[in-house]
């Protein structure tokens, strides 16, 4: 091979490498604006971890302290649980349409009762919700930085936007929601790391196990203390269901 031929081949290689680099960069940018994909476990992997835990020693009608099974992450709570006389327990899926519709009503109750009532949220992902795990991971990653209530509300409020999103589209949505939930004060790089962490994976699995122990039939499932508020038996509109929850709260406050 002569010098001229060698130069031509070298130029071709450089051009090809340049196109390849651009293609890789574009692909990564589509997955995540920071340049790397967000990888979360499948629901089946979450369920496998959950099945390996023993839930016999846990009281579902109390706030459960963080331990190894929960990834050493605490319950996700809205309100002041130390002051609250009544605790609501909600089992819900961030991709559940009824959960999104119920969220403002439960927020309204918490606002009405102030420090008297707090809410504990436990993730229960339906098998047909493709974005259930990644949104749960995002909510729990935000919780690590102290922004779970805000992230929950943003995810539910924008559910129509991301409900049918592809996996490759979700990181861009979640970054935007995290920025909104934290008012731009959150650590985005840490958010990405925590979403993919073992701790968050085990936290989701732990919540799923608690939900299975509760033998739930649908989401959202709401308890006032140990009283299951069966929406199908109560019937009526969301407003009527909200009033039934209020009535039970008042009953427990007066006991």
């Amino acid at each position: 091979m002569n010098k001229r031929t060698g130069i031509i081949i070298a130029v071709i290689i450089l051009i090809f490498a340049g196109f390849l680099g651009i293609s890789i960069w574009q692909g990564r940018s589509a997955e995540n604006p920071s340049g790397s994909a967000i990888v979360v476990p499948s629901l089946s992997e979450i369920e496998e971890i959950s099945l390996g835990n023993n839930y016999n020693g846990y009281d579902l009608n109390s706030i459960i302290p963080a331990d190894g099974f929960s990834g050493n992450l605490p319950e996700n709570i809205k309100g002041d649980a130390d002051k609250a006389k009544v605790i609501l327990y909600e089992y819900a899926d961030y991709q559940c349409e009824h959960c999104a519709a119920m969220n403002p009503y439960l927020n309204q109750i918490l606002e009405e009762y102030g420090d008297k009532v707090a809410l504990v949220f436990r993730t229960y992902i339906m098998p047909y919700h493709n974005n259930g795990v990644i949104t749960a991971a995002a909510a729990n990653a935000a919780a690590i930085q102290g922004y779970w209530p805000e992230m929950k509300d943003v995810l539910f409020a924008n559910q129509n936007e991301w409900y049918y999103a592809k996996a490759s589209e979700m990181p861009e949505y979640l970054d935007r929601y995290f920025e909104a939930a934290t008012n731009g004060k959150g650590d985005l790089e840490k958010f990405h790391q925590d979403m993919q962490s073992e701790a968050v994976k085990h936290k989701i699995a732990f919540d799923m196990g608690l939900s299975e122990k509760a033998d739930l039939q649908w989401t959202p499932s709401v308890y006032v203390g140990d009283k299951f508020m069966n929406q199908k038996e109560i019937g009526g509109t969301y407003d009527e269901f909200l009033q039934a929850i209020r009535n039970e709260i008042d009953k427990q406050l007066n006991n």
Side-chain angles (χ1 to χ4, degrees):
M1 180 176 64
N2 60 35
K3 184 176 180 181
R4 180 183 178 85
T5 302
I7 292 172
I8 292 172
I9 292 173
V11 170
I12 292 172
I13 291 172
L14 286 171
I15 293 172
F16 177 78
F19 281 122
L20 181 60
I22 291 170
S23 298
I24 292 172
W25 179 84
Q26 288 176 334
R28 286 178 174 175
S29 297
E31 292 169 335
N32 189 306
S34 68
S36 59
I38 298 295
V39 179
V40 297
S42 65
L43 182 57
S44 60
E45 184 179 347
I46 293 289
E47 290 172 335
E48 185 177 350
I49 295 170
S50 178
L51 289 172
N53 296 340
N54 185 343
Y55 298 93
N56 292 333
Y58 297 106
D59 179 5
L60 297 179
N61 302 314
S62 66
I63 297 174
I64 299 172
D67 65 13
F69 286 143
S70 69
N72 290 308
L73 296 179
E75 299 261 38
N76 288 318
I77 301 173
K78 185 166 186 174
D80 192 334
D82 292 330
K83 295 180 179 179
K85 296 182 178 179
V86 175
I87 304 293
L88 307 182
Y89 296 91
E90 179 187 10
Y91 296 83
D93 179 346
Y94 292 101
Q95 201 172 353
C96 162
E97 294 167 288
H98 292 292
C99 300
M102 182 69 70
N103 189 59
Y105 291 88
L106 294 176
N107 284 342
Q108 182 180 334
I109 284 182
L110 295 175
E111 185 176 347
E112 289 173 4
Y113 284 90
D115 289 342
K116 295 179 181 178
V117 176
L119 179 142
V120 172
F121 184 103
R122 293 168 180 161
T123 304
Y124 188 43
I125 303 168
M126 298 293 101
Y128 44 84
H129 284 158
N130 294 335
N131 291 325
V133 173
I134 195 168
T135 47
N140 281 288
I144 291 172
Q145 296 189 45
Y147 296 104
W148 172 76
E150 294 85 357
M151 191 67 176
K152 168 184 71 76
D153 289 346
V154 172
L155 285 170
F156 279 139
N158 292 279
Q159 190 190 77
N160 286 340
E161 183 179 46
W162 58 264
Y163 190 94
Y164 293 108
K166 299 175 182 177
S168 60
E169 298 171 328
M170 286 302 294
E172 183 177 352
Y173 285 122
L174 296 174
D175 280 2
R176 179 151 46 86
Y177 300 152
F178 179 72
E179 291 288 343
T182 66
N183 198 24
K185 298 177 182 178
D187 184 332
L188 192 59
E189 183 177 352
K190 178 172 172 53
F191 173 66
H192 293 162
Q193 292 170 353
D194 288 336
M195 278 183 65
Q196 303 172 89
S197 67
E198 288 293 310
V200 163
K201 179 167 66 174
H202 283 272
K203 169 60 178 168
I204 298 170
F206 186 71
D207 278 7
M208 290 287 289
L210 296 177
S211 303
E212 292 292 343
K213 182 179 179 181
D215 195 25
L216 303 180
Q217 303 301 313
W218 60 79
T219 57
S221 287
V222 179
Y223 289 77
V224 179
D226 60 356
K227 171 68 175 178
F228 175 49
M229 305 303 297
N230 192 328
Q231 189 173 4
K232 293 186 177 181
E233 289 183 0
I234 294 168
T237 65
Y238 282 119
D239 285 322
E240 290 169 325
F241 184 59
L242 184 71
Q243 188 56 50
I245 293 175
R246 282 197 194 95
N247 293 342
E248 182 60 29
I249 290 172
D250 291 339
K251 178 181 175 181
Q252 293 189 23
L253 286 174
N254 293 325
N255 284 343

